[in-house]
Amino acid sequence: MNIQEIYFEDYEIGHFRETFGRTITETDFVVHAGHTGDFFPHHMDKEWCKTQEFGQRVAHGTMVFAIGIGLSASEINPVAFSYGYDRLRFVKPVHIGDTIRTRLTIDRKHPDPKREGMGQVFEKVEVLNQNDETVLATEHIYLVEMRKA
Amino acid sequence: MNIQEIYFEDYEIGHFRETFGRTITETDFVVHAGHTGDFFPHHMDKEWCKTQEFGQRVAHGTMVFAIGIGLSASEINPVAFSYGYDRLRFVKPVHIGDTIRTRLTIDRKHPDPKREGMGQVFEKVEVLNQNDETVLATEHIYLVEMRKA
Amino acid sequence: MNIQEIYFEDYEIGHFRETFGRTITETDFVVHAGHTGDFFPHHMDKEWCKTQEFGQRVAHGTMVFAIGIGLSASEINPVAFSYGYDRLRFVKPVHIGDTIRTRLTIDRKHPDPKREGMGQVFEKVEVLNQNDETVLATEHIYLVEMRKA
Amino acid sequence: MNIQEIYFEDYEIGHFRETFGRTITETDFVVHAGHTGDFFPHHMDKEWCKTQEFGQRVAHGTMVFAIGIGLSASEINPVAFSYGYDRLRFVKPVHIGDTIRTRLTIDRKHPDPKREGMGQVFEKVEVLNQNDETVLATEHIYLVEMRKA
Amino acid sequence: MNIQEIYFEDYEIGHFRETFGRTITETDFVVHAGHTGDFFPHHMDKEWCKTQEFGQRVAHGTMVFAIGIGLSASEINPVAFSYGYDRLRFVKPVHIGDTIRTRLTIDRKHPDPKREGMGQVFEKVEVLNQNDETVLATEHIYLVEMRKA
Amino acid sequence: MNIQEIYFEDYEIGHFRETFGRTITETDFVVHAGHTGDFFPHHMDKEWCKTQEFGQRVAHGTMVFAIGIGLSASEINPVAFSYGYDRLRFVKPVHIGDTIRTRLTIDRKHPDPKREGMGQVFEKVEVLNQNDETVLATEHIYLVEMRKA
């Protein structure tokens, strides 16, 4: 982890980075169920899953999101604040043994209409599996300080 | 957990439910960091946090989301599918010892323009703390089957 | 989770419910050992287990009990209190990958001889595996309030 | 951990041992809820508990049992088998910060009426807190081989 | 766990003990990463590992050390204190599914040159896998009280 | 996490880096005990600890080592290999609520006498607490490739 100040003006549209991969294990399924309290059979009952569309356990959407975002937590920008996420979509299921990584691309930015001296930066987030398929997509919105004039 | 088939036509606008509460503990902070790999000092370093705006450790946004949604996982609707979330916003920080619960309200619905026989149902999700303040808000979108004509 | 008041008089002999299934994973074995401190090779050493009767790791009895009971924790009855369990028996071993569920049947009831206005309700608890074999059996005793006369 | 063969004839009535203590932490509460799926507010919601009889969170009965038994797992007797538990009773609540230990006393024994060459040994199990109050009591039944004549 | 006072004079050179085995699971890999924050792909990304020398995930060295030492934690000597470890070496990789055990041998001892009434005892620590190969070696140094003259 | 190739020749004596801090929580104590199986009362029994020298629970040495090293896992050098650690010393106890960070300094280096084209780099590792006291010290030895001539 490093600290690096990146101001609104410094964000370059199209700049992207990609994280290391992480294999999603049965352990992650069990930990996430226990962490959130969601023990739905879709995630926890391999016999029941055999009778369903995918034939096997499917990762919690909240887990793919939390781990996908967590993979990108490597640099602290003290002048940027997470405002929220838009259009979070679970594009494909993640199964036990899949390996995911996250690609983050600065998509667009504009001055914040309500907060003087701040801008909004939109980062496209794509979580990919080992076959380079997008499994989750969303847009991360940051509020970022502008350089003092 | 129960199974209950609820078709598109059955969703009533304005219907809401509220979950039990759950106290967010230091354990949850540590488990979430270990689960996601996000060990940012905002969540993990109480000394550093003393020097920051909130004066104490702040919960990961992804944790408030995952636990807030997990609290609502009590009933399975086999004819509904989670499509995604819109406008996920971290409204207020959650600290160690806060107790959160989730209020879910059916907000609006309309037939899916692309998928015949399916509708989209929009559920407003509010995670509240022990002071009835909203700490997280989002909108959950379901794809739901219509009754066979 | 719901809250529902069920008084002594309301319990119907023979009424039963069955929970969803949950696959018992290697993760559960490791978590239970770490949670309880019981690292006996019967649960943790697959090489040693190859030399023993079952040829593979066997679940802790306390885990099958705790998860089997946990599966049934879906409804709160504020006028009933858990008094204890009788005749807890480990009928068959549970191995990694088995899927268990719990069947609960109201077996009998009678007024509590010592506590005025209370009754004892006996619930038969059977934990079953994916082959519908009973792996654990016990009897759960509740103290339940009677309706005010 | 050691291995020691103790045959039916070797068990002495009245022999007892006492384990080390272990402080039951908020972490144990959270781990047990996540391990079993029982997130009842009695264990997890400190605000709700303030409105209840004990005024604070109460440990899961299954956790006090599992940890209480786990504390005693220090010696393997290869000629003894756990048959089950009788009269498991939750005598007093365990709260966050209590320190428990387990006292085990050989209470009685008799030849097994159905299994030739085997005997039943009954061990009294008491889980005590830091004030020497019994919080859980039960009786552990072992099937133990007799010495070859 | 037992307590046994063993004074400096009581340690016999060449005395050794060997622990039970423990299978190192994928769960242990995930728990250790989450516990330490080390999510290097060597331990976590099975796809990337396929392209590397060992072809599969490799255990964290700190995990083999921590679990190898933990296996030996069965007896408390109140007159001995852990001073540190010398020459900690990761001799061979440990993979998911390997079963390790620890062999501990009293190697040598001498009076502590600086602390009157104390001695230094050197215990050779070898962590072995299921093929009796040493995977980790180190030397544990204890400071031990001498008997009062 | 980044990948950066640093050859033997590139290591500068005296170069140092310092990690972010991490507060060591009661959760970490419980997780480490469960992960390693070391439930010694020094780490787990707050009542017993009140009667001992430090008056409170003391962190496992293996945990301070594993987390201290884990804090530094932020950059991958594909031409360096961890060979082991020397002179690992537990200088001061770590208690619940202490915040640790790790300072790593390149101390010295020399060509490997046995492995042609490789060198040994010695990195001084100091784990510090919130009062800037060293709680653990050791020396990490790397085998590092030399640049091709």
Side-chain angles (χ1 to χ4, degrees):
Chain A
M1 274 190 302
N2 299 305
I3 290 190
Q4 197 177 353
E5 290 194 353
I6 309 176
Y7 285 90
F8 176 73
E9 293 85 347
D10 304 331
Y11 281 90
E12 282 179 64
I13 307 307
H15 177 85
F16 77 96
R17 60 191 172 113
E18 208 170 288
T19 71
F20 276 90
R22 178 166 157 194
T23 301
I24 301 301
T25 66
E26 192 180 57
T27 304
D28 296 302
F29 276 57
V30 174
V31 168
H32 196 77
H35 183 45
T36 62
D38 178 347
F39 286 82
F40 270 17
H42 314 68
H43 319 301
M44 303 303 282
D45 182 342
K46 84 172 177 193
E47 300 296 330
W48 183 81
C49 287
K50 285 179 190 168
T51 70
Q52 302 293 306
E53 180 187 359
F54 297 115
Q56 57 178 307
R57 284 166 280 178
V58 176
H60 299 73
T62 50
M63 179 168 78
V64 180
F65 177 62
I67 294 182
I69 296 300
L71 279 168
S72 74
S74 59
E75 200 153 272
I76 297 171
N77 180 0
V79 297
F81 313 91
S82 180
Y83 178 72
Y85 292 86
D86 271 358
R87 282 188 293 286
L88 171 55
R89 297 293 179 267
F90 307 115
V91 183
K92 285 183 76 80
V94 172
H95 299 297
I96 294 169
D98 282 352
T99 298
I100 64 172
R101 65 188 195 284
T102 304
R103 184 187 295 153
L104 304 112
T105 311
I106 303 302
D107 191 55
R108 65 192 194 283
K109 64 180 182 180
H110 55 66
D112 189 295
K114 294 182 192 163
R115 296 172 187 81
E116 182 141 14
M118 303 290 284
Q120 293 188 10
V121 176
F122 299 81
E123 185 178 48
K124 191 174 155 191
V125 178
E126 294 159 292
V127 181
L128 308 167
N129 68 15
Q130 69 276 16
N131 303 318
D132 292 327
E133 299 166 314
T134 299
V135 295
L136 180 150
T138 187
E139 190 172 66
H140 194 173
I141 309 166
Y142 296 96
L143 296 181
V144 188
E145 292 182 19
M146 294 175 171
R147 292 183 181 283
K148 308 280 189 299
Chain B
M1 273 189 304
N2 299 304
I3 291 192
Q4 196 178 353
E5 289 193 355
I6 309 177
Y7 286 91
F8 176 72
E9 293 85 344
D10 304 331
Y11 281 90
E12 283 179 63
I13 307 307
H15 177 87
F16 78 96
R17 60 191 173 111
E18 210 171 286
T19 70
F20 275 91
R22 178 167 157 192
T23 302
I24 300 302
T25 66
E26 192 181 58
T27 304
D28 296 302
F29 276 57
V30 174
V31 167
H32 197 77
H35 182 45
T36 63
D38 177 346
F39 286 81
F40 270 17
H42 313 68
H43 319 302
M44 303 304 282
D45 182 342
K46 83 173 178 192
E47 300 297 331
W48 183 82
C49 286
K50 286 178 190 168
T51 70
Q52 301 293 307
E53 180 187 358
F54 298 115
Q56 56 179 307
R57 285 166 280 178
V58 176
H60 299 74
T62 50
M63 179 168 78
V64 180
F65 177 62
I67 293 182
I69 296 300
L71 279 167
S72 73
S74 59
E75 200 155 272
I76 297 171
N77 180 2
V79 297
F81 312 92
S82 180
Y83 178 72
Y85 292 86
D86 271 359
R87 283 188 292 285
L88 172 55
R89 297 293 180 268
F90 306 116
V91 183
K92 284 183 76 79
V94 172
H95 299 298
I96 294 170
D98 282 352
T99 297
I100 64 172
R101 65 188 197 284
T102 304
R103 184 187 294 154
L104 304 113
T105 311
I106 303 302
D107 191 55
R108 65 192 195 281
K109 63 180 183 182
H110 55 65
D112 190 294
K114 294 184 191 162
R115 297 171 187 82
E116 181 141 17
M118 302 290 284
Q120 293 188 10
V121 175
F122 298 81
E123 186 178 49
K124 192 173 153 190
V125 177
E126 293 159 292
V127 180
L128 308 167
N129 67 14
Q130 69 275 16
N131 302 319
D132 291 327
E133 300 166 314
T134 299
V135 295
L136 180 150
T138 187
E139 189 172 66
H140 194 173
I141 310 167
Y142 296 97
L143 297 181
V144 188
E145 293 182 18
M146 294 175 171
R147 292 184 180 283
K148 307 283 190 296
Chain C
M1 276 192 300
N2 299 306
I3 291 190
Q4 195 177 355
E5 290 194 355
I6 310 177
Y7 286 91
F8 177 72
E9 293 85 345
D10 305 331
Y11 280 90
E12 282 179 63
I13 307 306
H15 177 87
F16 78 96
R17 60 191 173 112
E18 210 170 286
T19 70
F20 275 91
R22 176 166 158 196
T23 301
I24 301 300
T25 66
E26 191 180 59
T27 304
D28 296 302
F29 276 58
V30 174
V31 168
H32 196 77
H35 182 44
T36 64
D38 178 347
F39 286 81
F40 271 17
H42 313 69
H43 318 302
M44 303 304 282
D45 182 342
K46 85 174 177 189
E47 300 297 329
W48 184 83
C49 286
K50 285 178 189 167
T51 70
Q52 301 292 307
E53 181 186 0
F54 296 115
Q56 57 177 306
R57 284 165 281 178
V58 176
H60 299 74
T62 49
M63 179 168 78
V64 180
F65 177 62
I67 293 182
I69 295 300
L71 280 167
S72 73
S74 58
E75 199 154 273
I76 296 172
N77 180 0
V79 296
F81 312 92
S82 180
Y83 178 71
Y85 293 86
D86 272 357
R87 284 188 293 286
L88 171 56
R89 298 292 179 270
F90 307 115
V91 182
K92 286 183 76 80
V94 171
H95 299 299
I96 294 169
D98 282 352
T99 297
I100 64 172
R101 66 190 196 282
T102 304
R103 183 187 294 153
L104 304 114
T105 312
I106 303 302
D107 191 54
R108 65 192 195 283
K109 64 180 181 180
H110 56 65
D112 189 295
K114 294 183 191 161
R115 295 172 188 81
E116 182 141 16
M118 302 290 283
Q120 293 188 10
V121 174
F122 298 82
E123 186 178 50
K124 192 173 152 190
V125 177
E126 293 159 291
V127 180
L128 308 167
N129 68 15
Q130 69 276 16
N131 303 317
D132 291 326
E133 298 166 314
T134 300
V135 295
L136 180 150
T138 187
E139 190 172 67
H140 195 174
I141 309 167
Y142 295 96
L143 296 182
V144 188
E145 292 182 19
M146 294 174 171
R147 291 182 181 285
K148 308 284 190 296
Chain D
M1 275 191 300
N2 298 305
I3 291 192
Q4 197 178 353
E5 289 194 353
I6 309 177
Y7 286 92
F8 177 72
E9 293 85 345
D10 305 332
Y11 280 90
E12 283 180 63
I13 307 307
H15 177 87
F16 78 96
R17 59 191 173 110
E18 211 170 287
T19 69
F20 276 90
R22 178 166 156 194
T23 302
I24 301 301
T25 64
E26 192 180 58
T27 305
D28 296 301
F29 276 58
V30 174
V31 167
H32 196 77
H35 183 44
T36 64
D38 177 347
F39 286 82
F40 271 17
H42 313 68
H43 319 301
M44 304 303 283
D45 182 342
K46 84 174 179 191
E47 300 297 330
W48 183 83
C49 286
K50 284 178 188 167
T51 70
Q52 302 291 307
E53 180 187 359
F54 297 114
Q56 57 178 307
R57 284 165 281 178
V58 176
H60 298 75
T62 50
M63 179 168 79
V64 181
F65 177 62
I67 293 182
I69 295 300
L71 279 168
S72 74
S74 58
E75 200 154 271
I76 296 172
N77 180 2
V79 298
F81 312 93
S82 180
Y83 179 71
Y85 293 86
D86 271 358
R87 283 188 294 285
L88 172 55
R89 297 292 179 268
F90 306 115
V91 182
K92 283 183 77 79
V94 172
H95 299 298
I96 293 169
D98 282 351
T99 297
I100 64 172
R101 66 189 196 283
T102 304
R103 184 187 294 154
L104 305 113
T105 311
I106 303 302
D107 190 55
R108 65 192 197 280
K109 65 179 181 180
H110 56 64
D112 190 294
K114 294 184 190 158
R115 296 173 187 82
E116 183 141 16
M118 301 292 283
Q120 292 188 11
V121 175
F122 299 81
E123 187 178 48
K124 193 174 153 190
V125 177
E126 294 160 290
V127 180
L128 308 167
N129 68 15
Q130 68 276 16
N131 302 318
D132 292 327
E133 299 166 314
T134 299
V135 295
L136 179 150
T138 186
E139 189 172 67
H140 194 175
I141 309 167
Y142 296 96
L143 296 181
V144 188
E145 293 183 19
M146 294 174 170
R147 292 184 179 283
K148 308 284 189 298
Chain E
M1 276 190 301
N2 299 305
I3 291 191
Q4 197 178 351
E5 290 194 353
I6 308 177
Y7 285 91
F8 177 71
E9 293 85 345
D10 303 332
Y11 280 90
E12 283 178 64
I13 307 306
H15 177 85
F16 78 96
R17 61 191 172 110
E18 209 170 287
T19 70
F20 276 90
R22 178 166 156 193
T23 301
I24 301 302
T25 65
E26 192 180 59
T27 304
D28 296 302
F29 276 58
V30 174
V31 167
H32 196 77
H35 182 44
T36 63
D38 178 347
F39 286 81
F40 271 17
H42 312 70
H43 318 301
M44 302 305 281
D45 181 342
K46 83 174 180 193
E47 300 296 330
W48 183 83
C49 286
K50 286 179 190 168
T51 70
Q52 301 293 306
E53 179 186 0
F54 297 114
Q56 57 178 307
R57 285 165 281 178
V58 176
H60 298 73
T62 50
M63 179 169 77
V64 180
F65 177 61
I67 293 182
I69 295 300
L71 279 167
S72 73
S74 58
E75 201 154 271
I76 296 171
N77 180 2
V79 297
F81 312 92
S82 181
Y83 179 71
Y85 293 86
D86 271 357
R87 284 188 293 285
L88 172 55
R89 297 293 179 268
F90 306 115
V91 183
K92 284 182 77 80
V94 172
H95 298 298
I96 294 169
D98 282 352
T99 298
I100 64 172
R101 65 189 196 284
T102 304
R103 183 187 293 154
L104 304 114
T105 310
I106 303 302
D107 191 54
R108 66 193 195 282
K109 64 180 182 181
H110 56 66
D112 190 295
K114 293 184 193 160
R115 296 172 188 82
E116 181 141 16
M118 301 292 283
Q120 292 188 11
V121 175
F122 299 81
E123 186 178 50
K124 191 174 153 190
V125 178
E126 294 161 292
V127 180
L128 308 168
N129 68 14
Q130 68 276 16
N131 302 318
D132 292 326
E133 299 166 314
T134 299
V135 296
L136 179 150
T138 187
E139 191 173 64
H140 194 173
I141 310 168
Y142 296 97
L143 297 181
V144 187
E145 294 182 18
M146 293 174 172
R147 292 182 180 284
K148 308 279 189 298
Chain F
M1 275 190 302
N2 299 305
I3 290 191
Q4 196 177 352
E5 290 194 354
I6 309 176
Y7 286 92
F8 177 73
E9 294 85 346
D10 305 331
Y11 281 90
E12 282 179 65
I13 307 305
H15 177 86
F16 78 96
R17 60 193 173 110
E18 209 170 288
T19 70
F20 276 90
R22 177 167 157 194
T23 301
I24 301 301
T25 65
E26 192 180 57
T27 304
D28 296 302
F29 276 58
V30 174
V31 167
H32 196 78
H35 183 44
T36 63
D38 178 346
F39 286 82
F40 271 16
H42 314 68
H43 318 303
M44 303 303 282
D45 182 342
K46 83 172 178 193
E47 300 296 331
W48 183 82
C49 286
K50 285 178 190 167
T51 71
Q52 301 292 307
E53 180 187 359
F54 297 115
Q56 58 178 307
R57 285 166 280 177
V58 176
H60 299 74
T62 50
M63 179 168 79
V64 181
F65 177 62
I67 293 182
I69 296 300
L71 279 168
S72 72
S74 59
E75 199 153 273
I76 296 172
N77 179 1
V79 298
F81 312 92
S82 181
Y83 178 72
Y85 293 85
D86 272 357
R87 284 188 291 286
L88 171 56
R89 298 293 178 268
F90 306 116
V91 182
K92 285 184 75 79
V94 171
H95 299 298
I96 294 170
D98 282 351
T99 297
I100 65 172
R101 67 190 196 280
T102 303
R103 183 187 296 154
L104 304 113
T105 311
I106 303 301
D107 191 55
R108 65 192 195 281
K109 64 180 181 179
H110 56 65
D112 189 295
K114 294 184 191 160
R115 296 172 186 82
E116 181 140 18
M118 302 290 283
Q120 293 188 10
V121 175
F122 299 81
E123 186 178 48
K124 192 174 154 191
V125 177
E126 294 160 292
V127 180
L128 308 166
N129 67 15
Q130 69 277 16
N131 303 318
D132 291 326
E133 299 166 314
T134 299
V135 295
L136 180 150
T138 188
E139 188 172 67
H140 194 174
I141 310 167
Y142 296 96
L143 297 181
V144 187
E145 293 182 19
M146 293 174 170
R147 292 183 179 283
K148 308 280 188 298

